Amino acid sequence: MADEMDPERRLKQQRDDLELLNQVMRHDIRNDLQLVGAYASLLEDHVDEDGEAYLEVIRESTESAVALTTTVRDLAEVMLREDAQQSGIALDRVLSQQVEEVRSAYAEAVFTVEGAFPEATVVADDMLGSVFRNLLRNAVQHNDKTPPKVDVSAAVDEEADVAEVRIADNGPGVPAEHRDEIFGKGEKGLDSPGAGIGLYLVRSLVETYGGDVWVQGNEPEGAVFAVRLPLAEG
């Protein structure tokens, strides 16, 4: 009988396998998807009216899959890192950057920033951008309105020593009975591919920072995803 692999060796092998999967996701699969998207764009002048509808489906599906590879990459990096050092991160800088990047990626959506983001320093690390990127994308991807509208605001509660970011949309909303489970690992509470893993990553990161994330109803329609993060000392 072969000797059983000791726990330390098994853990190392699992980490090596995850690192390999991460590399494949970051390079091979992502490059192939981007190639599909590029060739789809070249076909625009070579299809008839019926073909344009099919081509649009290809483009949208490719963009969604590319976004999913980014989320999987980020989740793998979270799982692979050891004793990540958290420090003070400028909330306004990270949040502004992600709003601009997602706005550029979804030209059909209307993004509104309510006031100026506070110049607050929160407890986080360089993965904080992934939190806001996933929530902003969700607000557009799972929206059934034309155009999708996303309102972003942030404020500081000095008494509680926290900063709170709110991302509101005009979509279908999230039923009260599903508002907690959509953050679960592998859940598809938003009824769309990739929603579960993205929100699972969001909660995993925010809880690592000592913060909290939740969803509530928006008025008159839609959902509001809120992220609360502790302020960094100093």
Side-chain angles (χ1 to χ4, degrees):
M1 173 183 276
D3 293 336
E4 291 187 2
M5 186 182 301
D6 66 81
E8 185 175 344
R9 183 182 173 194
R10 183 183 301 111
L11 180 60
K12 182 180 184 304
Q13 180 173 314
Q14 290 174 341
R15 289 182 61 84
D16 289 344
D17 291 343
L18 183 57
E19 179 62 44
L20 177 60
L21 179 61
N22 191 24
Q23 291 177 2
V24 171
M25 182 67 69
R26 293 176 65 174
H27 299 291
D28 300 5
I29 296 177
R30 187 178 179 88
N31 288 345
D32 286 347
L33 288 169
Q34 290 175 330
L35 188 62
V36 171
Y39 274 93
S41 297
L42 293 175
L43 285 173
E44 289 180 359
D45 297 329
H46 302 278
V47 296
D48 56 20
E49 187 173 343
D50 291 336
E52 289 179 359
Y54 299 132
L55 196 58
E56 183 61 24
V57 172
I58 293 174
R59 279 197 296 261
E60 290 179 356
S61 298
T62 302
E63 290 173 0
S64 177
V66 169
L68 182 57
T69 64
T70 302
T71 301
V72 173
R73 177 202 65 192
D74 290 345
L75 182 58
E77 289 184 0
V78 170
M79 297 171 68
L80 285 166
R81 63 184 180 173
E82 298 180 1
D83 300 325
Q85 295 297 316
Q86 297 177 12
S87 59
I89 299 294
L91 176 65
D92 57 330
R93 176 181 58 80
V94 175
L95 186 53
S96 296
Q97 178 182 357
Q98 293 306 319
V99 169
E100 290 308 312
E101 288 185 4
V102 178
R103 176 185 277 142
S104 297
Y106 297 97
E108 74 279 12
V110 177
F111 287 85
T112 302
V113 174
E114 298 181 10
F117 295 141
E119 297 180 0
T121 303
V122 296
V123 176
D125 57 23
D126 57 5
M127 296 292 290
L128 179 60
S130 184
V131 170
F132 300 133
R133 180 168 61 250
N134 277 283
L135 292 178
L136 290 165
R137 284 176 173 171
N138 275 337
V140 178
Q141 292 176 343
H142 311 297
N143 199 313
D144 57 354
K145 299 297 188 302
T146 303
K149 294 182 179 180
V150 184
D151 297 325
V152 187
S153 61
V156 169
D157 184 339
E158 297 287 357
E159 293 186 3
D161 284 333
V162 297
E164 185 173 303
V165 176
R166 297 173 67 83
I167 298 174
D169 64 62
N170 64 332
V174 181
E177 62 269 24
H178 296 312
R179 289 177 184 172
D180 187 62
E181 68 182 40
I182 61 171
F183 293 98
K185 187 176 183 180
E187 293 292 340
K188 295 294 181 64
L190 295 181
D191 193 28
S192 181
I197 192 172
L199 294 179
Y200 175 70
L201 172 62
V202 167
R203 170 165 282 183
S204 298
L205 285 169
V206 171
E207 290 183 347
T208 297
Y209 304 148
D212 193 17
V213 58
W214 67 94
V215 60
Q216 61 193 58
N218 193 17
E219 292 296 337
E221 59 185 354
V224 180
F225 283 82
V227 177
R228 184 173 291 167
L229 298 166
L231 298 177
E233 296 180 0

